[in-house]
């Protein structure tokens, strides 16, 4: 693949994730009908990004600074970047507090949910930079995605969901749309994911209600990662995939972010509607790390990865 196209796909994954997050944010927790009426006059991006993007930025910043995975450093980036108004999940909020108080990054996440650890989608929603950075080495990608998830999500289903999302981003970046489900199927160990990924092809003509019943649309990683993969595969443009993902209701910012990351990695930044990019930049003018910063992170990951 021409290097310029690959650079655009790096940007597409990170910017696409932020766009999906910001578009889904105002309707998080809504029904299909409520999403429809919120966007009845068109899919205008009106919101800031949320925790999904703030944590994705932390993952990218740490990979760039450390030239690879460093758990303690990534945990510090999450703490430094934290803003409560971006709406973090309760488990992640608690873990970040313990990390800030000095607990080791390999220990803190094991305390939530009665010691079970979280299977929320908070690790999967932020994982795109790992999919990019390790896209050419699936064994390392899988291992690092599990480790990076463990900082906040120690439940095996939280970690596996993040690894599946990271691998989907990597496959999209490599242009492997057709073989995506087969490649995923060959890697996935956990039954609930194997079952849902194996259903995706059969659900291509399903209506929204059936799709939600079969794959889910909530905050559990196993009820949202397969839905994002489906949303990417069901359509042939960034725009259609992302608005479909959000139109399902439920955890709209997160399913939007994960669909945006996979779609952006496949189509490149040019495929993201210009008005969404402009609106994202404007929404972050008041001090957030906005569009230009996210593009810079993607460029740095690319530069370090290819030593250019
Ligand atoms: N926090 C939110 N949304 C809150 C509402 C915001 C809305 N816009 C409003 O203002 O009204 N969204 C963000 O949180 C999700 C990611 O969550 P994360 O980081 O995974 O958090 P947590 O708490 O670890 O897990 C999420 C929920 O999953 C259930 N759960 C997880 N593990 C469990 C276990 N072992 N046992 C039982 N339940 C478990 C819990 O309900 C957790 O709270 C994203 O949507 C992001 O956008
Ligand atoms: Mg969010
Ligand atoms: Mg969400």
């Amino acid at each position: 693949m021409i290097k310029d196209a690959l650079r655009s796909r790096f940007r597409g994954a990170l910017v696409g994730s932020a766009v999906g997050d910001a578009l889904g944010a105002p309707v998080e927790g809504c029904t299909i009908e409520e999403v429809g009426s919120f966007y009845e006059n068109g899919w205008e991006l009106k919101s800031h990004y949320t925790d999904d993007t703030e944590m994705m930025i932390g993952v990218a910043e740490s990979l760039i600074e450390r030239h690879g995975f460093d758990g303690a450093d990534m945990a510090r980036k999450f703490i430094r970047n934290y803003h409560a108004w971006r709406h973090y999940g309760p488990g992640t909020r608690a873990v970040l507090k313990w990390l800030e108080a000095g607990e080791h990054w390999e220990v803190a996440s094991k305390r939530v949910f009665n010691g079970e650890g979280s299977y929320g989608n908070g690790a999967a929603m932020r994982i795109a930079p790992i999919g990019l950075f390790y896209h050419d080495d699936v064994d390392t990608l899988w291992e690092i995605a599990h480790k990076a998830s463990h900082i906040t999500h120690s439940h095996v289903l939280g970690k596996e969901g993040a690894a599946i999302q990271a691998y989907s981003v990597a496959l999209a970046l490599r242009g492997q749309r057709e073989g995506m489900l087969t490649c995923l199927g060959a890697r996935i160990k956990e039954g609930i994911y194997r079952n849902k990924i194996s259903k995706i092809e059969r659900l291509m003509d399903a209506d929204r209600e059936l799709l939600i019943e079969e794959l889910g649309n909530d905050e559990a990683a196993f009820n949202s990662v397969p839905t994002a993969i489906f949303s990417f595969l069901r359509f042939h443009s960034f725009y259609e995939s992302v608005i479909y993902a959000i139109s399902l209701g439920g955890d709209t910012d997160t399913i939007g972010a994960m669909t945006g990351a996979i779609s952006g990695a496949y189509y490149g930044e040019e495929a993201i509607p210009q008005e969404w990019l402009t609106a994202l930049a404007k929404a972050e003018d008041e001090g957030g790390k906005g569009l230009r910063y996210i593009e810079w992170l993607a460029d740095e990951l690319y530069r370090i990865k290819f030593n250019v």
Side-chain angles (χ1 to χ4, degrees):
M1 192 185 305
I2 311 165
K3 280 274 167 72
D4 271 357
L6 202 55
R7 187 195 294 270
S8 165
R9 287 174 162 199
F10 268 59
R11 281 188 173 200
L14 301 198
V15 173
S17 181
V19 161
D21 175 17
L23 272 169
V27 288
E28 190 181 19
C30 290
T31 61
I32 293 177
E33 292 72 28
E34 288 164 342
V35 177
S37 68
F38 184 86
Y39 281 117
E40 67 185 346
N41 296 320
W43 288 84
E44 194 187 337
L45 192 155
K46 304 173 189 169
S47 176
H48 290 273
Y49 61 72
T50 74
D51 58 331
D52 306 52
T53 303
E54 191 160 69
M55 295 199 90
M56 186 265 289
I57 287 172
V59 172
E61 288 174 337
S62 183
L63 290 175
I64 290 165
E65 202 174 302
R66 308 300 299 156
H67 284 217
F69 178 70
D70 176 334
D73 183 75
M74 199 171 280
R76 281 194 294 275
K77 299 288 186 283
F78 292 157
I79 294 161
R80 185 188 71 185
N81 291 350
Y82 178 79
H83 292 98
W85 66 270
R86 301 246 189 221
H87 296 300
Y88 285 66
T92 296
R93 245 181 1 245
V95 174
L96 292 182
K97 277 209 180 97
W98 293 323
L99 288 168
E100 192 174 21
E103 276 199 33
H104 195 276
W105 71 271
E106 288 174 309
V107 174
S109 64
K110 294 183 185 167
R111 286 174 56 181
V112 289
F113 300 107
N114 299 319
E116 259 194 20
S118 174
Y119 55 60
N121 53 21
M125 72 190 186
R126 68 184 187 229
I127 208 77
I130 286 175
L132 300 181
F133 203 72
Y134 298 102
H135 70 272
D136 52 353
D137 177 355
V138 62
D139 290 336
T140 307
L141 175 149
W142 206 259
E143 182 198 332
I144 300 295
H146 275 76
K147 284 186 175 160
S149 303
H150 184 93
I151 300 169
T152 50
H153 290 68
S154 61
H155 195 292
V156 66
L157 295 179
K159 297 200 262 197
E160 185 88 341
I164 294 168
Q165 171 67 13
Y167 191 24
S168 302
V169 169
L171 290 165
L173 182 82
R174 286 156 32 178
Q176 285 177 261
R177 179 192 168 95
E178 300 310 322
M180 184 175 276
L181 295 174
T182 310
C183 290
L184 289 170
R187 259 296 143 174
I188 299 170
K189 291 189 189 70
E190 298 305 317
I192 189 161
Y193 289 109
R194 293 187 69 79
N195 180 31
K196 288 194 175 190
I197 295 297
S198 74
K199 281 185 192 172
I200 285 181
E201 221 148 69
R202 288 200 301 276
L203 287 168
M204 283 297 158
D205 295 324
D207 60 22
R208 287 182 174 81
E209 285 75 11
L210 178 60
L211 197 276
I212 293 166
E213 207 178 298
E214 295 287 335
L215 298 186
N217 68 346
D218 67 33
E219 289 185 352
F222 46 84
N223 286 331
S224 50
V225 172
T227 313
I229 295 166
F230 175 89
S231 301
F232 165 65
L233 290 173
R234 169 76 177 75
F235 299 93
H236 289 274
S237 73
F238 179 91
Y239 178 86
E240 287 176 291
S241 286
V242 169
I243 65 169
Y244 175 81
I246 295 167
S247 77
L248 294 171
D251 195 357
T252 48
D253 63 331
T254 303
I255 301 175
M258 295 191 294
T259 304
I262 303 169
S263 303
Y266 187 74
Y267 297 110
E269 191 185 30
E270 291 80 11
I272 304 174
Q274 186 56 50
E275 57 272 28
W276 287 354
L277 298 179
T278 307
L280 179 71
K282 227 186 260 168
E284 296 307 325
D285 274 352
E286 306 128 41
K289 292 173 173 172
L291 175 65
R292 300 289 161 239
Y293 185 69
I294 295 169
E295 288 177 336
W296 177 81
L297 291 172
D299 291 350
E300 281 295 285
L301 285 172
Y302 177 89
R303 187 183 64 74
I304 294 164
K305 178 73 192 170
F306 295 105
N307 205 14
V308 288

